[in-house]
């Protein structure tokens, strides 16, 4: 059979007809595009409220970054993954003292970050042409890192070592911070020192103050009158004690029926006497004593004083000795101060009184406290606000439950309570011999194995089973170390600045200082001279 000859004309006709269709499609698209542009030009243009798009809007109106990061084929995701791995290698190479390689990695990381930043700014995904070189160069560096044996296992070991080193450093810095904070809390501010010196000079040169004191001897009857409202404060801080007295008197409905019993030490006795003789607190009576005058307060009766004569105790708490594991806050000599432990001798200090309200010197009073004297303690010795929430501030947080004596006598989950504002029935105290119980446990803790130090742990033991729980509104704690709920502050009767950040110190929390400053009259000549200059 003969083949049909090749027909050039038929082939050419087919080729020209396909080209014609192509031109028709292109032309149609062009007309459609022209119509769209023309219709947009006829629409009114809105004036933007800002001259340019914000970064956020460009991201929102552009590509979806979340989708792009989740895509296995996303160039953005590849770059981010490479950067994360490269950052880890930078750390390891620096640890290995390979500084040149670390510098090369860091430079490549910066270049990749620039590409990501450009894409985010313009709102469009990265293209293959943009990232090809960056991904290739970074891949070479990461491969080179593997040749340095920066493999996964090695990296994990080195990172683990680095984390441990950082943890040790953090622990060291935390201990330093605690130590410096403790030192700051213990130091006497220049202003308070100035006030003490000025008042001492005033006491010895101003005979009028002594005359006022002798004229006030008729108040002796008030000091023993159990129909009045008696408060006791043990303090060596003149200004802090003044704030407690002033805030209580200002917020009392019957300040003339208030009697304050203030006990201090021999050094602060003259300035305390001077200050409370010079100032009137709405008719409230203020008695100032010094504990050195108490003849019964001696080493044969008081375990803490006996322990202070022990050389090991002196070295541990005053020379920084010991096992080195005891937190610095427990090695603060103030915990051995007699002013801190006088709270266990209130019946001896005030033998004529039947009921008192004990106040720390780092509190302010916002409400009338008269109602405290009528609260039924149900046969208990002391009314106190409990501090336990879940496992916090329960007995096991304060006491050594590995010791058989503690384990045998006290429930580890028993709820702790707070010193600082306590109503005390001294008649029941004497009957229950609480001071004797306190002595019992102090003597057994001579080696500091039952608890470290402070007045709260022995208080938990001495008053175990003898505490009546008060409504939390009576005593709000935490203003000297943490954030406190504003409603609790607003409704609280007594606000307690427990912690290192006392309101009279520079490290005090500013937002709570204003509450304390309300009861300080800085216009007083002595205060103005010491605090405003």
């Amino acid at each position: 059979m003969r083949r049909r000859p090749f027909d050039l004309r038929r082939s050419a006709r087919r080729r020209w007809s396909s080209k014609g269709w192509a031109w028709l499609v292109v032309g149609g698209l062009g007309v459609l595009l022209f119509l769209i542009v023309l219709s947009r030009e006829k629409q009114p243009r809105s004036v933007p409220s800002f001259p340019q798009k914000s970064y956020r809007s460009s991201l929102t109106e552009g590509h979806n970054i979340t989708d792009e990061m989740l895509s296995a084929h996303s160039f953005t995701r590849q770059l981010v993954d490479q950067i994360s791995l490269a950052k880890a290698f930078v750390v390891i190479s620096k640890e290995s003292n390979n500084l040149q390689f670390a510098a090369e990695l860091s430079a490549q990381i910066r270049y990749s970050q620039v590409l990501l930043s450009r894409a985010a700014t313009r709102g469009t995904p990265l293209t293959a042409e943009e990232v090809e070189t960056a991904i290739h160069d970074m891949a070479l560096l990461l491969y080179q890192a593997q040749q340095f044996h920066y493999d996964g296992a090695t990296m994990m070991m080195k990172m683990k070592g680095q984390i441990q080193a950082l943890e040790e450093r953090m622990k060291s810095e935390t201990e330093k911070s605690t130590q410096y904070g403790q030192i700051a809390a213990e130091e006497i501010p220049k202003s308070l020192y100035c006030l003490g010196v000025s008042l001492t000079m005033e006491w010895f040169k101003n005979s009028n103050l002594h005359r006022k004191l002798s004229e006030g001897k008729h108040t002796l009857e008030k000091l023993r009158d159990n129909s009045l409202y008696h408060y006791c404060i043990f303090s060596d801080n003149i200004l802090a004690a003044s704030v407690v007295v002033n805030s209580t008197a200002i917020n009392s409905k019957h300040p003339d029926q208030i009697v304050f019993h203030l006990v201090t030490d021999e050094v602060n006795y003259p300035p305390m006497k001077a200050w409370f003789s010079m100032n009137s607190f709405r008719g409230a009576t203020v008695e100032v004593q010094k504990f050195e005058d108490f003849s019964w307060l001696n080493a044969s009766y008081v375990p803490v004083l006996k322990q202070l004569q022990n050389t090991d105790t002196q070295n541990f708490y005053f020379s920084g000795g010991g096992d080195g594991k005891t937190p610095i806050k427990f090695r603060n000599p103030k915990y051995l101060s007699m002013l801190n432990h006088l709270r266990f001798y209130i019946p001896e200090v005030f033998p004529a009184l039947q009921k008192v309200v004990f106040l720390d010197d780092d509190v302010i009073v916002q409400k009338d406290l008269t109602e405290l004297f009528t609260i039924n303690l149900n046969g208990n010795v002391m009314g106190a606000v409990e501090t336990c929430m879940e496992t916090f501030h329960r007995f096991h947080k304060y006491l050594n439950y590995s010791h058989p004596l503690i384990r045998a006598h006290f429930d580890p989950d028993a709820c702790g309570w707070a010193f600082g504002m306590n109503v005390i029935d001294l008649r029941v105290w004497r009957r229950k011999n609480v001071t004797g119980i306190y002595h019992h446990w102090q003597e057994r803790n001579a080696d500091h194995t039952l608890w470290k130090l402070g007045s709260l742990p022995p208080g938990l033991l001495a008053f175990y089973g003898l505490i009546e729980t008060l409504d939390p509104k009576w005593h709000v704690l935490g203003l000297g170390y943490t954030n406190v709920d504003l409603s609790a502050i607003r409704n609280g009767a007594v606000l307690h600045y427990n912690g290192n950040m006392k309101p009279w110190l520079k490290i005090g929390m500013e937002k709570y200082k204003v509450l304390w400053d309300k009861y300080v009259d800085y216009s007083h000549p002595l205060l103005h001279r010491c605090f405003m200059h």
Side-chain angles (χ1 to χ4, degrees):
M1 176 181 277
R2 290 184 61 191
R3 288 185 175 219
R4 188 174 182 176
F6 190 76
D7 190 351
L8 293 174
R9 289 176 299 173
R10 187 175 297 170
S11 174
R13 190 162 52 245
R14 281 197 299 269
R15 186 167 60 249
W16 280 108
S17 64
S18 62
K19 285 184 178 181
W21 281 109
W23 282 109
L24 273 174
V25 171
V26 172
L29 288 174
V31 171
L32 182 59
L33 181 61
F34 176 78
L35 291 174
I36 291 173
V37 171
L38 188 62
S39 64
R40 287 190 176 180
E41 287 182 353
K42 291 181 180 180
Q43 292 178 358
R45 295 185 180 180
S46 60
V47 180
S49 56
F50 296 97
Q52 58 183 12
K53 289 184 179 180
S54 67
Y55 176 73
R56 185 182 295 275
S57 65
S58 68
L59 292 179
T60 306
E61 295 174 8
H63 65 294
N64 191 314
I65 292 180
T66 303
D67 291 342
E68 188 176 353
M69 287 296 296
L70 293 174
S71 172
H73 306 288
S74 165
F75 295 123
T76 299
R77 178 175 175 178
Q78 291 181 48
L79 277 181
V80 170
D81 289 345
Q82 282 187 329
I83 289 172
S84 299
L85 187 58
K87 284 182 177 180
F89 284 140
V90 167
V91 174
I92 296 174
S93 59
K94 286 182 178 179
E95 289 289 328
S96 303
N97 205 29
N98 194 347
L99 301 182
Q100 182 178 354
F101 183 65
E104 292 177 9
L105 272 174
S106 299
Q108 190 60 40
I109 289 171
R110 288 193 295 271
Y111 177 66
S112 298
Q113 289 173 333
V114 168
L115 292 178
L116 292 172
S117 177
R118 288 176 183 171
T121 302
R122 72 180 183 232
T124 57
L126 289 167
T127 63
E129 291 77 10
E130 289 178 295
V131 299
E132 182 179 2
T133 303
I135 292 177
H136 177 266
D137 292 346
M138 182 70 85
L140 288 177
L141 288 173
L142 295 177
Y143 175 76
Q144 188 177 351
Q146 292 180 353
Q147 304 309 304
F148 289 139
H149 302 290
Y150 294 161
D151 53 83
T154 304
M155 189 167 71
M156 287 175 64
M157 291 298 295
K158 290 189 175 182
M159 292 295 285
K160 183 178 179 181
Q162 188 177 29
I163 289 171
Q164 290 176 344
L166 288 173
E167 287 177 347
E168 289 295 324
R169 189 181 303 175
M170 182 182 70
K171 182 179 178 182
S172 174
E173 294 301 324
T174 301
E175 289 177 355
K176 287 181 182 178
S177 176
T178 303
Q179 182 177 4
Y180 296 148
Q182 192 69 52
I183 292 171
E186 293 172 23
E187 289 296 316
I188 301 175
K190 181 180 177 182
S191 53
L192 289 182
Y193 179 77
C194 167
L195 179 62
V197 172
S198 301
L199 284 169
T200 301
M201 294 173 61
E202 195 71 26
W203 174 253
F204 287 112
K205 75 177 184 180
N206 192 342
S207 58
N208 290 330
L209 297 180
H210 297 268
R211 191 181 304 114
K212 284 183 180 180
L213 189 65
S214 61
E215 291 173 354
K217 287 185 177 179
H218 67 278
T219 62
L220 285 176
E221 294 181 2
K222 282 189 171 183
L223 301 180
R224 301 177 179 182
D225 187 349
N226 282 291
S227 66
L228 301 178
Y229 307 112
H230 294 268
Y231 300 86
C232 62
I233 308 170
F234 306 134
S235 174
D236 58 2
N237 188 319
I238 302 163
L239 191 60
S242 176
V243 167
V244 178
V245 173
N246 193 33
S247 62
T248 306
I250 286 176
N251 292 292
S252 174
K253 295 176 181 177
H254 305 287
D256 57 317
Q257 298 181 30
I258 289 177
V259 181
F260 274 98
H261 304 269
L262 176 58
V263 182
T264 188
D265 55 25
E266 194 165 19
V267 173
N268 290 283
Y269 181 70
M272 285 277 193
K273 295 286 281 187
W275 179 258
F276 288 101
S277 298
M278 292 168 60
N279 297 280
S280 174
F281 298 89
R282 298 188 65 204
T285 301
V286 182
E287 175 195 29
V288 181
Q289 302 179 78
K290 61 179 186 287
F291 70 78
E292 287 85 356
D293 288 340
F294 302 148
S295 59
W296 51 266
L297 198 61
N298 52 66
S300 62
Y301 180 61
V302 179
V304 169
L305 292 177
K306 183 180 180 180
Q307 290 169 14
L308 281 174
Q309 296 176 353
N310 183 278
T311 304
D312 292 337
T313 300
Q314 292 176 1
N315 289 336
F316 187 86
Y317 292 110
F318 293 94
S319 303
D323 55 7
K325 298 179 181 179
T326 304
I328 186 171
K329 70 175 182 177
F330 292 120
R331 289 169 38 195
N332 184 351
K334 79 170 186 178
Y335 288 118
L336 290 172
S337 166
M338 217 39 247
L339 288 174
N340 196 39
H341 284 266
L342 269 183
R343 63 193 66 194
F344 297 105
Y345 300 95
I346 294 177
E348 286 91 336
V349 178
F350 313 112
L353 299 183
Q354 297 177 356
K355 183 173 283 190
V356 298
V357 169
F358 168 79
L359 295 173
D360 266 337
D361 64 359
D362 55 352
V363 307
I364 59 171
V365 177
Q366 294 191 132
K367 311 283 185 182
D368 180 45
L369 300 183
T370 303
E371 186 183 336
L372 285 172
F373 292 87
T374 62
I375 288 178
N376 185 0
L377 297 180
N378 296 309
N380 289 307
V381 176
M382 181 188 291
V385 169
E386 291 184 336
T387 56
C388 60
M389 294 183 65
E390 298 177 357
T391 60
F392 298 105
H393 300 294
R394 295 186 184 272
F395 270 43
H396 65 82
K397 290 292 183 179
Y398 302 100
L399 304 170
N400 178 19
Y401 270 87
S402 64
H403 199 290
L405 271 177
I406 297 295
R407 193 167 58 249
H409 291 87
F410 304 98
D411 177 8
D413 291 322
C415 193
W417 45 268
F419 272 128
M421 193 297 300
N422 308 95
V423 54
I424 303 168
D425 190 326
L426 297 178
R427 294 165 297 183
V428 182
W429 181 312
R430 296 181 181 103
R431 192 163 62 246
K432 299 285 187 179
N433 190 24
V434 174
T435 301
I437 299 172
Y438 164 73
H439 284 172
H440 170 84
W441 291 110
Q442 276 286 6
E443 288 167 354
R444 276 152 184 75
N445 193 46
D447 56 359
H448 316 294
T449 56
L450 302 187
W451 68 87
K452 292 300 180 183
L453 207 61
S455 56
L456 181 57
L460 296 176
L461 304 186
F463 292 96
Y464 187 65
L466 301 173
I467 295 294
E468 180 69 18
T469 303
L470 300 180
D471 190 308
K473 73 177 182 182
W474 286 111
H475 188 189
V476 178
L477 296 111
L479 279 76
Y481 74 94
T482 188
N483 292 314
V484 183
D485 183 70
L486 291 178
S487 63
I489 292 176
R490 187 166 50 251
N491 298 322
V494 174
L495 305 182
H496 197 166
Y497 292 82
N498 56 314
N500 282 337
M501 294 183 281
K502 305 298 185 188
W504 55 83
L505 299 175
K506 288 184 177 179
I507 61 173
M509 300 176 74
E510 290 295 333
K511 60 182 177 181
Y512 299 140
K513 275 187 177 183
V514 292
L515 300 171
W516 191 82
D517 283 339
K518 284 167 52 178
Y519 301 104
V520 181
D521 181 12
Y522 289 108
S523 65
H524 188 285
L526 287 179
L527 293 182
H528 187 270
R529 181 170 63 193
C530 291
F531 287 82
M532 300 302 174
H533 291 86

